[in-house]
Short mmCIF file of all heavy atoms in Angstrom, two decimals:
data_model
loop_
_atom_site.label_atom_id
_atom_site.label_comp_id
_atom_site.label_asym_id
_atom_site.label_seq_id
_atom_site.Cartn_x
_atom_site.Cartn_y
_atom_site.Cartn_z
N ASP A 179 18.24 -5.24 -12.08
CA ASP A 179 17.63 -6.12 -11.10
C ASP A 179 17.00 -5.23 -10.04
O ASP A 179 16.93 -4.01 -10.21
CB ASP A 179 18.71 -7.01 -10.48
CG ASP A 179 19.91 -6.17 -10.08
OD1 ASP A 179 19.72 -5.14 -9.41
OD2 ASP A 179 21.04 -6.52 -10.47
N ASP A 180 16.58 -5.79 -8.94
CA ASP A 180 15.91 -4.97 -7.95
C ASP A 180 16.86 -4.37 -6.91
O ASP A 180 16.44 -3.85 -5.89
CB ASP A 180 14.82 -5.80 -7.26
CG ASP A 180 13.65 -6.02 -8.20
OD1 ASP A 180 13.62 -5.39 -9.27
OD2 ASP A 180 12.76 -6.82 -7.84
N LYS A 181 18.16 -4.46 -7.19
CA LYS A 181 19.12 -3.84 -6.27
C LYS A 181 19.11 -2.32 -6.37
O LYS A 181 19.41 -1.62 -5.41
CB LYS A 181 20.55 -4.33 -6.59
CG LYS A 181 20.98 -5.56 -5.83
CD LYS A 181 22.47 -5.76 -5.99
CE LYS A 181 22.88 -7.10 -5.42
NZ LYS A 181 24.13 -7.60 -6.03
N VAL A 182 18.82 -1.85 -7.57
CA VAL A 182 18.82 -0.41 -7.81
C VAL A 182 17.42 0.02 -8.22
O VAL A 182 16.82 -0.60 -9.10
CB VAL A 182 19.82 -0.05 -8.92
CG1 VAL A 182 19.91 1.47 -9.06
CG2 VAL A 182 21.18 -0.64 -8.65
N ILE A 183 16.93 1.04 -7.60
CA ILE A 183 15.63 1.56 -7.98
C ILE A 183 15.83 2.67 -9.01
O ILE A 183 16.60 3.60 -8.79
CB ILE A 183 14.89 2.10 -6.75
CG1 ILE A 183 14.48 0.91 -5.88
CG2 ILE A 183 13.66 2.90 -7.18
CD1 ILE A 183 14.05 1.30 -4.50
N VAL A 184 15.18 2.51 -10.14
CA VAL A 184 15.31 3.49 -11.20
C VAL A 184 13.98 4.23 -11.36
O VAL A 184 12.93 3.62 -11.50
CB VAL A 184 15.69 2.82 -12.54
CG1 VAL A 184 15.79 3.89 -13.64
CG2 VAL A 184 17.00 2.08 -12.41
N HIS A 185 14.08 5.52 -11.32
CA HIS A 185 12.90 6.35 -11.54
C HIS A 185 13.13 7.09 -12.85
O HIS A 185 14.06 7.88 -12.97
CB HIS A 185 12.76 7.31 -10.35
CG HIS A 185 11.55 8.18 -10.41
ND1 HIS A 185 10.57 8.13 -9.46
CD2 HIS A 185 11.16 9.11 -11.29
CE1 HIS A 185 9.62 9.01 -9.76
NE2 HIS A 185 9.96 9.62 -10.87
N ASN A 186 12.30 6.80 -13.84
CA ASN A 186 12.50 7.38 -15.17
C ASN A 186 11.76 8.68 -15.32
O ASN A 186 10.61 8.80 -14.92
CB ASN A 186 12.02 6.39 -16.24
CG ASN A 186 12.84 5.13 -16.22
OD1 ASN A 186 14.04 5.15 -16.49
ND2 ASN A 186 12.22 4.02 -15.88
N LEU A 187 12.43 9.65 -15.91
CA LEU A 187 11.80 10.94 -16.15
C LEU A 187 12.23 11.41 -17.53
O LEU A 187 13.36 11.82 -17.74
CB LEU A 187 12.27 11.92 -15.06
CG LEU A 187 11.61 13.29 -15.03
CD1 LEU A 187 10.11 13.16 -15.13
CD2 LEU A 187 11.97 13.99 -13.73
N ASN A 188 11.31 11.28 -18.47
CA ASN A 188 11.63 11.58 -19.85
C ASN A 188 10.96 12.90 -20.25
O ASN A 188 9.74 12.97 -20.35
CB ASN A 188 11.13 10.42 -20.72
CG ASN A 188 11.54 10.59 -22.16
OD1 ASN A 188 11.76 11.70 -22.65
ND2 ASN A 188 11.66 9.47 -22.86
N LEU A 189 11.77 13.90 -20.46
CA LEU A 189 11.19 15.22 -20.72
C LEU A 189 10.36 15.24 -22.00
O LEU A 189 9.29 15.84 -22.04
CB LEU A 189 12.31 16.27 -20.80
CG LEU A 189 12.97 16.60 -19.46
CD1 LEU A 189 14.03 17.67 -19.64
CD2 LEU A 189 11.95 17.03 -18.42
N GLU A 190 10.85 14.55 -23.02
CA GLU A 190 10.08 14.56 -24.27
C GLU A 190 8.69 13.96 -24.06
O GLU A 190 7.70 14.46 -24.59
CB GLU A 190 10.83 13.77 -25.36
CG GLU A 190 10.11 13.85 -26.69
CD GLU A 190 10.92 13.28 -27.85
OE1 GLU A 190 12.09 12.92 -27.65
OE2 GLU A 190 10.35 13.20 -28.95
N THR A 191 8.63 12.92 -23.26
CA THR A 191 7.34 12.30 -22.94
C THR A 191 6.41 13.30 -22.25
O THR A 191 5.21 13.34 -22.53
CB THR A 191 7.58 11.07 -22.05
OG1 THR A 191 8.41 10.16 -22.76
CG2 THR A 191 6.28 10.40 -21.69
N GLU A 192 6.96 14.09 -21.37
CA GLU A 192 6.14 15.08 -20.67
C GLU A 192 5.62 16.14 -21.65
O GLU A 192 4.48 16.57 -21.57
CB GLU A 192 6.94 15.76 -19.55
CG GLU A 192 7.52 14.81 -18.51
CD GLU A 192 6.46 14.14 -17.65
OE1 GLU A 192 5.35 14.69 -17.51
OE2 GLU A 192 6.74 13.06 -17.10
N PHE A 193 6.48 16.52 -22.57
CA PHE A 193 6.06 17.47 -23.61
C PHE A 193 4.92 16.87 -24.43
O PHE A 193 3.91 17.52 -24.69
CB PHE A 193 7.23 17.80 -24.55
CG PHE A 193 8.14 18.88 -24.05
CD1 PHE A 193 8.94 18.68 -22.94
CD2 PHE A 193 8.19 20.10 -24.68
CE1 PHE A 193 9.78 19.68 -22.47
CE2 PHE A 193 9.03 21.11 -24.22
CZ PHE A 193 9.83 20.90 -23.12
N GLU A 194 5.08 15.64 -24.83
CA GLU A 194 4.08 14.98 -25.66
C GLU A 194 2.74 14.87 -24.95
O GLU A 194 1.68 14.99 -25.56
CB GLU A 194 4.56 13.60 -26.08
CG GLU A 194 5.66 13.67 -27.12
CD GLU A 194 6.22 12.31 -27.49
OE1 GLU A 194 5.76 11.30 -26.90
OE2 GLU A 194 7.11 12.27 -28.34
N ASN A 195 2.83 14.63 -23.66
CA ASN A 195 1.62 14.52 -22.88
C ASN A 195 0.83 15.83 -22.91
O ASN A 195 -0.38 15.84 -23.14
CB ASN A 195 2.02 14.17 -21.43
CG ASN A 195 0.89 13.51 -20.69
OD1 ASN A 195 0.31 14.09 -19.79
ND2 ASN A 195 0.57 12.28 -21.07
N LEU A 196 1.53 16.92 -22.72
CA LEU A 196 0.87 18.23 -22.79
C LEU A 196 0.29 18.46 -24.18
O LEU A 196 -0.86 18.89 -24.33
CB LEU A 196 1.88 19.33 -22.46
CG LEU A 196 1.33 20.76 -22.58
CD1 LEU A 196 0.24 21.03 -21.54
CD2 LEU A 196 2.44 21.79 -22.45
N ILE A 197 1.08 18.17 -25.20
CA ILE A 197 0.62 18.35 -26.58
C ILE A 197 -0.68 17.60 -26.82
O ILE A 197 -1.63 18.13 -27.38
CB ILE A 197 1.71 17.88 -27.57
CG1 ILE A 197 2.92 18.81 -27.52
CG2 ILE A 197 1.16 17.80 -29.00
CD1 ILE A 197 4.15 18.28 -28.24
N TYR A 198 -0.72 16.36 -26.35
CA TYR A 198 -1.93 15.57 -26.54
C TYR A 198 -3.16 16.27 -25.97
O TYR A 198 -4.17 16.41 -26.64
CB TYR A 198 -1.77 14.18 -25.90
CG TYR A 198 -3.07 13.41 -25.94
CD1 TYR A 198 -3.42 12.67 -27.06
CD2 TYR A 198 -3.95 13.45 -24.87
CE1 TYR A 198 -4.63 11.99 -27.11
CE2 TYR A 198 -5.16 12.78 -24.92
CZ TYR A 198 -5.49 12.04 -26.04
OH TYR A 198 -6.68 11.39 -26.09
N PHE A 199 -3.04 16.71 -24.72
CA PHE A 199 -4.22 17.27 -24.07
C PHE A 199 -4.62 18.63 -24.64
O PHE A 199 -5.79 18.98 -24.67
CB PHE A 199 -4.03 17.33 -22.55
CG PHE A 199 -4.11 15.96 -21.93
CD1 PHE A 199 -2.98 15.29 -21.53
CD2 PHE A 199 -5.34 15.34 -21.81
CE1 PHE A 199 -3.06 14.02 -20.99
CE2 PHE A 199 -5.43 14.06 -21.27
CZ PHE A 199 -4.29 13.40 -20.86
N VAL A 200 -3.63 19.36 -25.14
CA VAL A 200 -3.96 20.63 -25.80
C VAL A 200 -4.65 20.35 -27.14
O VAL A 200 -5.68 20.95 -27.45
CB VAL A 200 -2.70 21.49 -26.01
CG1 VAL A 200 -3.01 22.68 -26.91
CG2 VAL A 200 -2.17 21.97 -24.68
N ASN A 201 -4.12 19.41 -27.90
CA ASN A 201 -4.70 19.12 -29.21
C ASN A 201 -6.09 18.52 -29.14
O ASN A 201 -6.91 18.74 -30.03
CB ASN A 201 -3.79 18.16 -29.99
CG ASN A 201 -2.57 18.87 -30.53
OD1 ASN A 201 -2.52 20.10 -30.57
ND2 ASN A 201 -1.58 18.10 -30.94
N THR A 202 -6.36 17.77 -28.09
CA THR A 202 -7.67 17.13 -27.99
C THR A 202 -8.64 17.98 -27.18
O THR A 202 -9.80 17.60 -27.02
CB THR A 202 -7.57 15.75 -27.33
OG1 THR A 202 -6.94 15.92 -26.05
CG2 THR A 202 -6.75 14.80 -28.17
N HIS A 203 -8.15 19.09 -26.64
CA HIS A 203 -8.99 19.98 -25.83
C HIS A 203 -9.63 19.24 -24.67
O HIS A 203 -10.74 19.53 -24.27
CB HIS A 203 -10.08 20.63 -26.68
CG HIS A 203 -9.54 21.38 -27.84
ND1 HIS A 203 -8.93 22.60 -27.72
CD2 HIS A 203 -9.47 21.06 -29.14
CE1 HIS A 203 -8.53 23.00 -28.91
NE2 HIS A 203 -8.84 22.09 -29.79
N THR A 204 -8.98 18.23 -24.16
CA THR A 204 -9.47 17.56 -22.97
C THR A 204 -8.63 18.03 -21.79
O THR A 204 -7.49 18.43 -21.96
CB THR A 204 -9.36 16.03 -23.08
OG1 THR A 204 -8.01 15.69 -23.41
CG2 THR A 204 -10.29 15.50 -24.14
#
Side-chain angles (χ1 to χ4, degrees):
Chain A
D179 47 50
D180 287 350
K181 269 193 189 155
V182 186
I183 290 166
V184 179
H185 183 117
N186 296 297
L187 187 47
N188 186 333
L189 289 182
E190 184 171 354
T191 300
E192 303 292 337
F193 276 69
E194 287 176 358
N195 203 250
L196 177 66
I197 291 168
Y198 173 85
F199 287 104
V200 170
N201 284 345
T202 56
H203 304 285
T204 53

